[in-house]
Amino acid sequence: MADGIPLNPVRKNSRKPAYYNAGRPARYEIEDESSNLDEMPLMMSEEAFENDESDYQTLPRARVGQRRRGLAWFLCGGWKVLCSSCCECLVHTCRRKKELKARTVWLGHPEKCEEKYPKNAIKNQKYNIVTFVPGVLYQQFKFFLNLYFLVVACSQFVPSLKIGYLYTYWAPLGFVLSVTMVREAVDEVRRCRRDKEMNSQLYSKLTMRGKVQVKSSDIQVGDLIIVEKDLFSISAYVYAQKPQLDIHSFEGNFTREDCDPPIHDSLSIENTLWASTVVASGTVIGVVIYTGKETRSVLNTSQSKNKVGLLDLELNRLTKALFLAQVVLSVVMVALQGFLGPWFRNLFRFVVLFSYIIPISLRVNLDMGKSAYGWMIMKDENIPGTVVRTSTIPEELGRLVYLLTDKTGTLTQNEMVFKRLHLGTVSYGMDTMDEIQSHIIQSYAQVSTTQSNGSSESSTPSRKPQPPAPKVRKSVSSRIHEAVKAIALCHNVTPVYESRANCASSEPESTEADQDFSDDNRTYQASSPDEVTLVRWTESVGLTLVNRDFTSLQLKTPAGHILTYFILQIFPFTSESKRMGIIVREEATGDITFYMKGADVAMASIVQYNDWLEEECGNMAREGLRTLVVAKKSLTEEQYQDFESRYNQAKLSIHDRALKVAAVVESLEREMELLCLTGVEDQLQVDVRPTLELLRNAGIKIWMLTGDKLETATCIAKSSRLVSRSQDIHIFHPVSNRGEAHLELNAFRRKHDCALVISGDSLEVCLRYYEHEFVELACQCPAVVCCRCSPTQKAQIVRLLQQHTENRTCAIGDGGNDVSMIQAADCGIGIEGKEGRQASLAADFSITQFKHIGRLLMVHGRNSYKRSAALGQFVMHRGMIISTMQAVFSSIFYFASVPLYQGFLMVGYATIYTMFPVFSLVLDQDVKPEMALLYPELYKDLTKGRSLSFKTFLLWVLISVYQGGILMYGALVLFDQEFVHVVAISFTALILTELLMVALTVRTWHWLMVVAELFSLACYLASLAFLNEYFDLSFITTRVFLWKVCVITLVSCLPLYIIKYLKRKFSPPSYSKLSS
């Protein structure tokens, strides 16, 4: 892949993680090619790269290229850079960022806090009462179009520059600003209401008066939330680390002073709850440590920004080109005058006179069009529940090249289904689960007949004769029994009983006799839905988990007997170990068993030799199933005591604790007995596969960014068809330094047409040293999967794609950890799902199902872009044609800076006479929705920007010059004696020409378009009776006036109709071929 791309090392000037440098342009460029690592032989050992900081001091010193800043730089955008820099400095000076510090929090006593902490309120608003008007005005006047009209309107206060009436300049500008402010105000009110809804959620807070209900926004650091009354009297505090970005770690200490001796305990991430966590059952004693802006989720969320669509930027460039043409035309006029008299004043008068070449109605029409597109999206019955939260960028939906999606809750429902159990010689699927159930019933029936104490081990070898076990071939029933029991015991699931949770009794729940183990009110809770699925499956086949606490768990057999197991040790799942284990002692027999389950890559070297595991894991993975290998090992009392002493000793060590603990556990993980292989399917969202295929065919590259582990992400990528079955997958091996990254990138570079799977840690290393090369290689992949990504990394990837490809990006997610990514993307889409509404509230568009994105992009994205492109160019044509007529008029009448049309004629031309037909273009469509969804390849043309480009713009300029010249010259040739006849003939022909041009531009007629055309024509005809100041009523009622107007209009429009007919016949667009 991309064999010609060199890997150029980036200067290592910082040890900071990559996300601190996100969005910043590279400051240095290494120019000496002798430092090109790609020229080194790939056989070089990794030790050759293990250099310390001095290695980077030997690199050639980077040359800093100072950009020459002159007048050209200032005029081409430098003024905006300088203004932005000054504003940022002023804001930074006025609002210095508060330094974050570690804190001591007294339980239940917020008043003891030494510092003032931020308010616990969600705020997604862009403005407040003070900044609204200045903020909106800045956002409007940073566009050249509006700034230009402000200058022109202000110039009319100077008597020597005044042309026409003030209202002809200030009324349109005021209308534009009013419409914009109303739209922004509506969006702000909606955001405020959503924030108020979230901040008004009630929580139980414990005070001296007992429990009181407080709003979410009123929660303070130190508050106790939902606690028992008898716990409020304790004197204790928590010392916590300062707020930070890392969501996977927390360090703190708990101290209780009202007991002797004082209690000191360490706190870790296991003792914390995320903001907005939902408690499944019971109560939680929680003290508030961080609030508002200092919570991890908010720290990982970027500030909301004003997004500007690509179409707006393109139109802004075109208006600059029009302004340049306007200035050139004015200079030509003054030059043809011979620069006589106060030529500079005349030059400015000509600039004002030709100001209609840049129509101010362009911004009004586009803004109103955007609002219309948003209304159409929300009223579409095929995508119910869709909400447009940012009404300024609907055209972005039609220009997307990269789609970055979350996995859990977005592509998947986060609901697991048990699909397969493989024992090596026999495999059980969904249709044969009843056989497993009968084996379990039979197995425990034998136990009940042979032992009255309910032991579950009678059908398995006892712990004493452990060595001979492999020699005896166990029966299928015995193997099923052991596999199911292992799955029922090896997990972190806790059964929850709603009736017990709702009970006010504070008695301990340890007595089995008093517990209600009925199936009706039991639910399971765990950190992973995989775990819950496995436990539910064991329940369905007869072995039910009925109770669990820190020290024991109970299983119920098909006959109703309760089996108790004491938990001796638990080894939780980690991304490094890729497995979890548990050591239990059975109460009835005293047998000690070590159960373990994990990914096949981790378990293959742990279990005893077999010839089927690798093959079956591959088969299940190809089916899109998530596999877990289950194994066990029986321990004698002596073996366990020896392990426990070494394990406790390792846990108390100060240095390298994690390594020593892992080493002790690994000493136990040897020659384990392989019990079974399970296959679980994570159910995909409805129609995910056809939707992803639709997007792929549309030319959209899809990247999946998830916080899940690599195996899970890879599995979902396959099952969702994000990666097609014929494609290879390149798993980027973990790298920790520049040398490893270099070798791995070289290996990846040789792969062709394969999907990339990379972890967040490896991604960070690659971006630190080889940012440009990595992005360029990754962008050539048909699909990319980034696993173990933090929220900040997700946003960083979005910004990298924006910077390196300059293509439009879209991010879609459903959880709070996706907010940064959604806000950083050019177009953010949120899904309302199980993880709350935080993503949908922060997004530009909110949908209820992932499959809706297909219609949102293919249909509404296409229509919004095509319509806005046509609307924008037609409005500019409307301004250029009248400016051409003004130029012809002035050149014939001795280059006088006198307006052709004055007062109401100019206002009416841009509003009531042509506004409705022109705006009706927002109802036009080139392709029917069914056709756009059937042929998603049509979307590829949109990303090339051909509907609005300098080529199409020049075509409209030529049309405007031709029609303006015909209308003006025709009126001057045919006018009869009086000048007022020129105005009447040319203006009437101009209105008719514009109405006919709208009809020429329309591709699919809508009944409202016909109404708009007829209404505008009727308004003009009706207004002729009141325009005595501009028209001779006796002349416009004659046949002479009518035939002259008809001839001029026919000459200006007929050639264009003929050209359009010939083009459609001999060179039709691709979509018309499909329609026919």
Side-chain angles (χ1 to χ4, degrees):
M1 178 186 289
D3 290 319
I5 300 176
L7 294 176
N8 298 317
V10 177
R11 185 182 183 90
K12 182 178 180 181
N13 55 7
S14 174
R15 284 278 188 183
K16 290 181 181 179
Y19 48 74
Y20 286 111
N21 300 322
R24 300 181 184 175
R27 187 178 293 179
Y28 305 108
E29 291 183 3
I30 308 300
E31 299 183 51
D32 194 323
E33 294 198 1
S34 63
S35 63
N36 190 344
L37 270 177
D38 194 42
E39 296 175 2
M40 297 181 183
L42 288 174
M43 289 75 72
M44 181 177 288
S45 64
E46 295 185 16
E47 286 76 8
F49 290 101
E50 297 295 337
N51 300 323
D52 58 9
E53 199 69 31
S54 63
D55 174 45
Y56 302 98
Q57 304 302 328
T58 62
L59 290 175
R61 182 171 293 276
R63 302 187 185 101
V64 183
Q66 291 287 340
R67 183 185 294 175
R68 293 182 180 179
R69 296 186 175 184
L71 182 61
W73 172 81
F74 182 79
L75 293 176
C76 294
W79 62 273
K80 191 186 293 185
V81 175
L82 291 176
C83 291
S84 300
S85 301
C86 293
C87 292
E88 286 177 6
C89 291
L90 186 63
V91 170
H92 182 72
T93 305
C94 299
R95 244 175 68 185
R96 286 192 177 91
K97 197 170 183 180
K98 179 184 173 184
E99 183 182 355
L100 300 176
K101 299 178 181 178
R103 61 191 63 187
T104 300
V105 179
W106 287 87
L107 274 63
H109 297 282
E111 67 279 359
K112 289 188 178 182
C113 294
E114 299 174 357
E115 292 189 29
K116 188 176 181 181
Y117 297 112
K119 195 175 180 182
N120 190 50
I122 293 173
K123 185 178 181 182
N124 288 310
Q125 294 167 254
K126 297 178 182 177
Y127 312 103
N128 56 38
I129 295 176
V130 177
T131 62
F132 177 75
V133 174
V136 173
L137 291 178
Y138 170 74
Q139 291 298 328
Q140 288 305 303
F141 289 124
K142 77 177 182 181
F143 286 104
F144 177 81
L145 177 69
N146 293 340
L147 184 64
Y148 162 79
F149 265 100
L150 179 65
V151 173
V152 170
C154 290
S155 71
Q156 295 306 289
F157 289 110
V158 181
S160 59
L161 302 178
K162 186 176 179 182
I163 295 177
Y165 301 104
L166 278 176
Y167 73 83
T168 60
Y169 295 92
W170 280 100
L173 183 63
F175 181 70
V176 169
L177 296 178
S178 300
V179 169
T180 303
M181 284 194 169
V182 168
R183 192 194 68 230
E184 285 290 335
V186 169
D187 285 350
E188 277 296 285
V189 169
R190 286 175 180 169
R191 292 190 195 100
C192 182
R193 285 176 178 171
R194 294 197 305 267
D195 291 345
K196 189 175 180 180
E197 180 184 343
M198 297 296 291
N199 293 328
S200 298
Q201 290 183 352
L202 296 178
Y203 291 86
S204 295
K205 170 185 170 182
L206 193 61
T207 65
M208 288 296 190
R209 303 186 305 275
K211 287 185 181 180
V212 295
Q213 296 289 313
V214 294
K215 294 180 180 178
S216 170
S217 57
D218 295 333
I219 293 175
Q220 296 176 304
V221 172
D223 282 345
L224 286 172
I225 306 298
I226 315 179
V227 294
E228 299 297 334
K229 292 183 179 180
D230 57 349
L231 290 171
F232 187 70
S233 60
I234 67 171
S235 175
Y237 64 86
V238 172
Y239 177 80
Q241 66 181 162
K242 68 179 183 181
Q244 59 181 14
L245 287 168
D246 189 3
I247 62 174
H248 298 298
S249 68
F250 172 77
E251 294 177 3
N253 292 313
F254 171 79
T255 304
R256 182 173 181 178
E257 295 184 332
D258 58 352
C259 58
D260 190 22
I263 297 174
H264 301 280
D265 211 343
S266 63
L267 302 175
S268 67
I269 192 69
E270 298 295 329
N271 303 104
T272 63
L273 290 177
W274 265 70
S276 304
T277 297
V278 177
V279 179
S281 179
T283 57
V284 173
I285 304 168
V287 58
V288 179
I289 303 295
Y290 306 117
T291 54
K293 298 177 181 178
E294 293 180 346
T295 58
R296 296 283 208 272
S297 57
V298 176
L299 286 174
N300 275 280
T301 302
S302 56
Q303 291 294 321
S304 58
K305 61 179 182 179
N306 286 290
K307 295 184 180 181
V308 180
L310 184 58
L311 186 94
D312 293 321
L313 298 175
E314 291 169 343
L315 287 171
N316 204 42
R317 285 196 292 269
L318 293 180
T319 54
K320 291 177 183 178
L322 285 174
F323 175 71
L324 187 62
Q326 177 187 354
V327 172
V328 170
L329 185 59
S330 302
V331 171
V332 169
M333 287 293 180
V334 174
L336 292 173
Q337 279 183 337
F339 293 99
L340 298 176
W343 64 270
F344 194 83
R345 187 186 68 184
N346 290 338
L347 175 65
F348 202 94
R349 283 178 62 87
F350 272 117
V351 170
V352 175
L353 200 62
F354 297 137
S355 62
Y356 283 96
I357 202 171
I358 305 176
I360 193 169
S361 57
L362 175 63
R363 180 59 54 189
V364 179
N365 280 278
L366 287 176
D367 287 351
M368 291 173 63
K370 292 173 191 289
S371 300
Y373 307 147
W375 183 83
M376 292 175 191
I377 290 172
M378 290 192 285
K379 292 297 180 181
D380 191 343
E381 295 179 354
N382 293 298
I383 47 174
T386 302
V387 180
V388 178
R389 303 200 189 279
T390 304
S391 57
T392 56
I393 56 170
E395 300 91 355
E396 291 294 274
L397 295 170
R399 307 291 297 277
L400 301 176
V401 178
Y402 288 96
L403 175 68
L404 300 101
T405 173
D406 179 39
K407 180 189 72 67
T408 306
T410 304
L411 295 179
T412 69
Q413 299 180 24
N414 205 18
E415 292 182 0
M416 310 295 169
V417 177
F418 192 93
K419 289 284 188 178
R420 188 73 52 83
L421 179 71
H422 205 293
L423 302 176
T425 56
V426 61
S427 176
Y428 294 94
M430 292 290 291
D431 52 345
T432 53
M433 291 299 172
D434 54 339
E435 293 183 28
I436 297 178
Q437 188 173 10
S438 62
H439 281 300
I440 293 295
I441 294 172
Q442 178 186 355
S443 175
Y444 279 104
Q446 293 174 359
V447 171
S448 60
T449 56
T450 55
Q451 292 186 345
S452 59
N453 59 2
S455 171
S456 65
E457 291 288 297
S458 61
S459 62
T460 63
S462 66
R463 56 181 175 148
K464 298 273 184 179
Q466 180 191 353
K471 298 178 183 178
V472 180
R473 186 172 180 84
K474 299 178 182 177
S475 66
V476 172
S477 179
S478 173
R479 289 162 60 199
I480 290 176
H481 173 215
E482 291 183 1
V484 172
K485 186 172 70 171
I487 296 171
L489 290 172
C490 187
H491 53 72
N492 61 2
V493 180
T494 303
V496 175
Y497 296 90
E498 295 301 326
S499 60
R500 189 193 309 163
N502 297 332
C503 182
S505 173
S506 60
E507 294 180 5
E509 304 170 1
S510 56
T511 56
E512 295 178 24
D514 298 333
Q515 292 181 19
D516 178 15
F517 288 153
S518 64
D519 297 336
D520 298 334
N521 60 348
R522 180 174 55 248
T523 58
Y524 296 112
Q525 299 294 332
S527 59
S528 169
D530 302 59
E531 301 269 70
V532 175
T533 301
L534 293 173
V535 172
R536 280 181 177 158
W537 176 77
T538 62
E539 178 184 6
S540 69
V541 296
L543 197 56
T544 306
L545 174 69
V546 292
N547 189 41
R548 181 180 185 142
D549 54 32
F550 287 113
T551 59
S552 65
L553 52 78
Q554 283 85 36
L555 302 179
K556 185 170 71 172
T557 66
H561 298 293
I562 300 298
L563 308 177
T564 301
Y565 294 85
F566 297 110
I567 301 172
L568 304 181
Q569 299 289 347
I570 289 183
F571 313 110
F573 179 91
T574 64
S575 57
E576 291 78 22
S577 67
K578 297 182 176 60
R579 56 188 180 271
M580 76 149 299
I582 185 170
I583 301 178
V584 296
R585 185 201 303 271
E586 187 175 357
E587 183 184 44
T589 62
D591 290 343
I592 300 175
T593 311
F594 174 32
Y595 292 104
M596 177 163 281
K597 68 179 180 186
D600 57 302
V601 291
M603 297 291 291
S605 59
I606 294 174
V607 298
Q608 296 170 350
Y609 172 78
N610 62 87
D611 56 1
W612 61 270
L613 181 61
E614 183 178 356
E615 180 183 355
E616 292 303 328
C617 283
N619 292 338
M620 287 193 188
R622 279 185 286 275
E623 294 178 30
L625 302 181
R626 301 165 68 157
T627 57
L628 280 176
V629 180
V630 184
K632 79 163 191 174
K633 185 176 187 178
S634 298
L635 302 176
T636 63
E637 190 69 38
E638 294 77 17
Q639 286 175 326
Y640 174 72
Q641 293 299 333
D642 175 61
F643 165 78
E644 186 179 36
S645 63
R646 290 185 291 116
Y647 186 67
N648 290 336
Q649 188 176 356
K651 285 201 297 183
L652 293 174
S653 61
I654 299 174
H655 302 292
D656 299 326
R657 178 187 299 178
L659 290 175
K660 292 178 180 178
V661 169
V664 174
V665 176
E666 284 177 12
S667 69
L668 206 61
E669 299 170 343
R670 293 173 184 168
E671 291 296 308
M672 297 189 71
E673 179 186 349
L674 176 58
L675 295 178
C676 65
L677 175 66
T678 65
V680 174
E681 182 184 51
D682 188 354
Q683 287 194 312
L684 299 173
Q685 292 276 5
V686 179
D687 291 338
V688 159
R689 290 169 182 165
T691 302
L692 290 178
E693 184 180 359
L694 178 83
L695 297 175
R696 246 196 325 269
N697 293 337
I700 297 175
K701 294 186 177 180
I702 305 166
W703 289 33
M704 186 170 79
L705 313 180
T706 176
D708 272 357
K709 55 184 186 287
L710 186 142
E711 292 79 11
T712 306
T714 307
C715 186
I716 294 300
K718 291 177 180 177
S719 62
S720 65
R721 302 291 187 268
L722 177 65
V723 178
S724 63
R725 294 190 177 189
S726 60
Q727 281 176 350
D728 292 331
I729 294 180
H730 177 81
I731 297 179
F732 204 90
H733 294 142
V735 296
S736 57
N737 56 51
R738 173 177 154 225
E740 292 176 353
H742 169 76
L743 294 174
E744 191 60 30
L745 278 172
N746 269 349
F748 172 47
R749 193 174 65 172
R750 295 183 179 86
K751 298 292 183 71
H752 296 274
D753 191 36
C754 68
L756 172 66
V757 179
I758 186 171
S759 67
D761 294 337
S762 300
L763 176 69
E764 187 178 319
V765 174
C766 289
L767 295 181
R768 188 181 304 166
Y769 301 114
Y770 298 107
E771 180 180 294
H772 178 76
E773 289 78 12
F774 173 79
V775 175
E776 194 161 346
L777 286 169
C779 287
Q780 297 179 35
C781 295
V784 177
V785 177
C786 297
C787 54
R788 308 304 291 178
C789 274
S790 68
T792 310
Q793 277 182 320
K794 291 183 179 183
Q796 183 197 3
I797 293 169
V798 172
R799 286 189 286 265
L800 282 172
L801 288 175
Q802 291 170 338
Q803 293 167 12
H804 286 270
T805 66
E806 296 184 354
N807 289 319
R808 309 312 275 178
T809 60
C810 174
I812 179 170
D814 71 317
N817 58 335
D818 302 317
V819 170
S820 285
M821 172 176 72
I822 287 171
Q823 292 181 336
D826 298 300
C827 177
I829 300 177
I831 299 178
E832 292 191 13
K834 295 181 178 178
E835 295 187 33
R837 299 177 58 198
Q838 199 168 349
S840 70
L841 293 177
D844 305 305
F845 302 90
S846 173
I847 58 179
T848 55
Q849 294 184 51
F850 182 82
K851 68 176 182 178
H852 292 167
I853 195 175
R855 186 176 181 86
L856 191 64
L857 269 56
M858 299 301 113
V859 177
H860 294 288
R862 179 183 188 86
N863 289 340
S864 299
Y865 170 60
K866 287 274 191 177
R867 290 165 175 171
S868 286
L871 182 63
Q873 290 176 121
F874 199 94
V875 172
M876 286 191 286
H877 156 75
R878 191 173 63 181
M880 285 186 288
I881 190 173
I882 203 167
S883 297
T884 303
M885 295 174 70
Q886 178 67 58
V888 172
F889 173 77
S890 296
S891 62
I892 289 176
F893 287 94
Y894 310 103
F895 308 104
S897 55
V898 177
L900 172 60
Y901 306 124
Q902 294 187 10
F904 181 77
L905 289 184
M906 291 304 298
V907 176
Y909 171 70
T911 54
I912 192 169
Y913 296 153
T914 61
M915 180 178 69
F916 296 112
V918 172
F919 186 70
S920 70
L921 290 174
V922 302
L923 300 172
D924 192 20
Q925 65 179 24
D926 59 341
V927 174
K928 291 183 178 180
E930 297 79 15
M931 195 68 65
L933 292 169
L934 187 61
Y935 298 101
E937 291 80 8
L938 293 171
Y939 189 87
K940 294 178 182 178
D941 289 336
L942 305 182
T943 59
K944 298 172 184 175
R946 291 175 178 171
S947 297
L948 178 64
S949 62
F950 274 101
K951 180 182 177 181
T952 59
F953 172 67
L954 288 174
L955 287 175
W956 278 105
V957 170
L958 293 175
I959 292 171
S960 303
V961 171
Y962 166 75
Q963 290 185 325
I966 291 294
L967 292 173
M968 198 64 242
Y969 275 113
L972 290 171
V973 169
L974 298 176
F975 86 104
D976 188 16
Q977 307 280 323
E978 299 181 35
F979 172 72
V980 71
H981 295 169
V982 175
V983 175
I985 294 171
S986 63
F987 191 78
T988 304
L990 174 64
I991 297 298
L992 292 176
T993 297
E994 285 300 293
L995 296 179
L996 289 172
M997 284 301 294
V998 170
L1000 181 68
T1001 307
V1002 169
R1003 286 160 294 203
T1004 305
W1005 281 92
H1006 190 281
W1007 67 271
L1008 283 175
M1009 294 178 173
V1010 179
V1011 171
E1013 292 262 339
L1014 296 175
F1015 177 75
S1016 296
L1017 183 60
C1019 286
Y1020 177 67
L1021 295 176
S1023 66
L1024 290 177
F1026 306 100
L1027 299 176
N1028 302 334
E1029 183 182 348
Y1030 308 105
F1031 298 150
D1032 182 0
L1033 293 179
S1034 60
F1035 173 69
I1036 62 176
T1037 55
T1038 63
R1039 290 184 178 180
V1040 175
F1041 169 76
L1042 291 176
W1043 76 260
K1044 288 182 178 180
V1045 168
C1046 290
V1047 167
I1048 295 172
T1049 304
L1050 199 63
V1051 173
S1052 69
C1053 293
L1054 186 60
L1056 297 176
Y1057 271 85
I1058 294 173
I1059 292 171
K1060 180 180 180 181
Y1061 171 78
L1062 294 175
K1063 185 180 178 183
R1064 284 191 173 180
K1065 185 173 181 63
F1066 296 106
S1067 180
S1070 56
Y1071 59 82
S1072 64
K1073 297 174 186 176
L1074 295 174
S1075 300
S1076 60

